[in-house]
Amino acid sequence: MSLREQFGTDVLLAGWGHSRFGKLTDETLESLIVQVASEAIANAGVQPADIDEIFLGQFNSGLLPLGFPSSLVLQTDPALANVPATRVENACASGSAAFQQGVKSILAGTARTVLVVGAEKMTQAAPELVGSALLGADYDMAGKRSTTGFAGLFATVAQAYEERYGAVGDVLGSIAAKNHRNGVANPYAQLRKDLGEEFCRTVSDRNPMVASPLRRTDCSPVSDGAAAVVLTSERFRSGSAATVPVRLAGFGQANDFLPAARRDPTEFAATRVSFERALAMAGVGLDDIDFAEVHDCFTIAELIMYEVMGLTEPGQGRRAVEEGWVFRGGRMPVNISGGLKAKGHPVGATGVSQHVVSAMQLTGTAGEMQLPDPRRAVVQNMGGVGIANYVSVLEQV
C-alpha cells in the first residue's frame, strides 16, 4: 500500500532552496534561514501568505547563545507573521525530523502548504565547544571530556566491525575518495577537491589519524549552512513553480536505545527498521531505487549503510565499493552530492539538504551532479550512533 493509498493524499516537494556549505563567516543563522526560505517559497511558485506552518530543524546544543530560533523564519517576509513555527531537534537528524513533522501536518490535513527549513551555524564556535556540543547527543559521553569527540564513538564502531569482519582501512579510504570526487561537481559543497584514493587511504601529516582507524579524510567537516523545502499536495500545488515537483512515496522513522551497552555496535538495528518502513510504505524494493543519499558523518557509517539498506549482507559492505556498485554509473550510486564527507555537515541542515539534492536529481536540475534520468531515490539521515533514524523514498511525479 502506497503513501497515497494509506493516507488518501500525496505529499509533494514543490520547491526548495540551498545555501553553500562551509565556513561562512559573513553569514548568520538568520541570514542563512532567510536565504533558503526565500528561495524555496519562490521556487514553489507560492506566496509567503500561502504558508500554513513552519518547521525548523536545528541542533545547536550550545553552539549559539540563541536557543529559541523558530521565529527567525518569519524574518523572510512580513506575510509570515502569525504562522505557527516550531523548532525540531533530534541531534544530527534534526533536519529530517523537521521534514517528517511537515509531512505529518500535510497528511493530517492541518496544513495545506508547509515550509521546512534546516540550518546550523557551527564554525564560529571553538573546536572544544563543537566537540562537547556534539557529544551532548551521546548517552555515555555527554558532559565528559574527550580528545576525539564523535570521531571516537564511530572509531569504536569501526574497531568492532574490524574485529568481526576484518580490516577495512583501504575500503574506508575508497569511500572518502569517492565522495570527495563527487563533491567536485556540487556547487554547494564545502570540500570541492578530488583527493584521490592513495591520499585518503594513507596516514600523513595532511591526513592524520583522528581516532584509529579513522583518518581526517574519514570524518565530515564542521560546517555552516541551510536548506529548505516547501511541502504540499497535488490538490494545492502551484502551477507557476520553477520545476515539476517530487513525490514522497514513503517514509520511516525508528529510534534505538541511547546506552551503547544496549546496542550491537555494527548492527544499526533501528536504522535498518527505518529503511524497511519507508520502502514498505512506498511499496518498492531496493532494486527499484536509482540512487541514495546516506548519512556518512564518518566513512564507517556509509559502509554499514550499504549493509543496513540491504545492498549487501552484513560484513560484505566492501563488495559494494570493490565492485563499483556505489559509484557514479554503478548499480546504486551513493552520495552523488559528495555526502556529508565533502558537501559538509551543518547538523540541522543535513537532512533537509539530502532531500533537496535528491529532488534536484529527480527533476533533472542537478547541474554537473546530474545522473541520467533517475526515477526514484532513498534518503537516510540519523542522529547519534544510529539512535534517531529517518528514511524517505522520493520519486518522479
Side-chain angles (χ1 to χ4, degrees), residues 15 19 57 95 118 180 236 304:
S19 80
H180 276 287
F236 296 111
I304 291 175

Side-chain angles (χ1 to χ4, degrees), residues 61 128-129 131-146 150:
S61 190
E128 297 78 12
L129 176 55
S132 64
L134 295 175
L135 283 176
D138 186 75
Y139 178 88
D140 300 290
M141 290 300 298
K144 297 179 181 178
R145 294 182 59 84
S146 171
F150 237 79

Side-chain angles (χ1 to χ4, degrees), residues 163-213:
E163 289 174 6
R164 191 172 295 180
Y165 301 118
V168 292
D170 283 354
V171 176
L172 299 185
S174 295
I175 292 171
K178 169 184 71 71
N179 290 348
H180 276 287
R181 186 163 54 251
N182 288 343
V184 173
N186 184 351
Y188 305 115
Q190 180 170 352
L191 304 174
R192 300 186 68 188
K193 185 176 182 180
D194 185 352
L195 298 178
E197 288 203 7
E198 186 63 28
F199 180 85
C200 292
R201 287 179 169 186
T202 306
V203 176
S204 65
D205 289 343
R206 293 193 299 147
N207 189 26
M209 190 70 74
V210 175
S212 183

Side-chain angles (χ1 to χ4, degrees), residues 375-393:
R375 301 192 60 81
R376 191 174 287 114
V378 66
V379 172
Q380 177 266 330
N381 184 204
M382 68 183 175
V385 186
I387 305 297
N389 302 277
Y390 295 82
V391 173
S392 298
V393 177

Side-chain angles (χ1 to χ4, degrees), residues 84-259:
T86 304
R87 174 196 171 198
V88 180
E89 184 278 313
N90 221 358
C92 295
S94 295
S96 285
F99 178 85
Q100 284 202 13
Q101 288 304 118
V103 167
K104 290 172 182 177
S105 287
I106 299 290
L107 295 178
T110 57
R112 296 182 297 184
T113 304
V114 175
L115 173 63
V116 178
V117 181
E120 208 75 59
K121 192 75 171 65
M122 304 176 70
T123 65
Q124 77 291 334
E128 297 78 12
L129 176 55
V130 174
S132 64
L134 295 175
L135 283 176
D138 186 75
Y139 178 88
D140 300 290
M141 290 300 298
K144 297 179 181 178
R145 294 182 59 84
S146 171
T147 59
T148 56
F150 237 79
L153 300 179
F154 275 87
T156 300
V157 171
Q159 291 161 11
Y161 190 96
E162 290 192 322
E163 289 174 6
R164 191 172 295 180
Y165 301 118
V168 292
D170 283 354
V171 176
L172 299 185
S174 295
I175 292 171
K178 169 184 71 71
N179 290 348
H180 276 287
R181 186 163 54 251
N182 288 343
V184 173
N186 184 351
Y188 305 115
Q190 180 170 352
L191 304 174
R192 300 186 68 188
K193 185 176 182 180
D194 185 352
L195 298 178
E197 288 203 7
E198 186 63 28
F199 180 85
C200 292
R201 287 179 169 186
T202 306
V203 176
S204 65
D205 289 343
R206 293 193 299 147
N207 189 26
M209 190 70 74
V210 175
S212 183
L214 302 181
R215 300 146 296 212
R216 180 179 290 165
T217 49
D218 293 307
C219 308
S220 60
V222 174
S223 317
D224 307 326
V229 63
V230 171
L231 302 176
T232 190
S233 62
E234 180 64 37
R235 179 182 175 189
F236 296 111
R237 76 179 177 101
S238 169
S240 56
T243 184
V244 294
V246 167
R247 179 179 292 113
L248 176 67
F251 62 93
Q253 179 190 356
N255 272 51
D256 212 333
F257 298 105
L258 268 176

Side-chain angles (χ1 to χ4, degrees), residues 14 33-34 45 60 84 112 156 158 166 193 205 231-232 248 250 254 267 291-292 308 327 350 360 371 380:
I33 289 171
V34 169
N60 194 353
R112 296 182 297 184
T156 300
K193 185 176 182 180
D205 289 343
L231 302 176
T232 190
L248 176 67
E267 188 176 352
F291 69 95
V308 166
F327 291 81
T350 287
M360 289 176 175
L371 293 167
Q380 177 266 330

Side-chain angles (χ1 to χ4, degrees), residues 305-330:
M305 287 311 106
Y306 303 157
E307 302 170 11
V308 166
M309 74 169 75
L311 194 57
T312 75
E313 293 296 316
Q316 297 297 312
R318 63 187 310 136
R319 284 190 61 203
V321 178
E322 293 169 349
E323 298 182 24
W325 300 351
V326 293
F327 291 81
R328 176 180 287 273

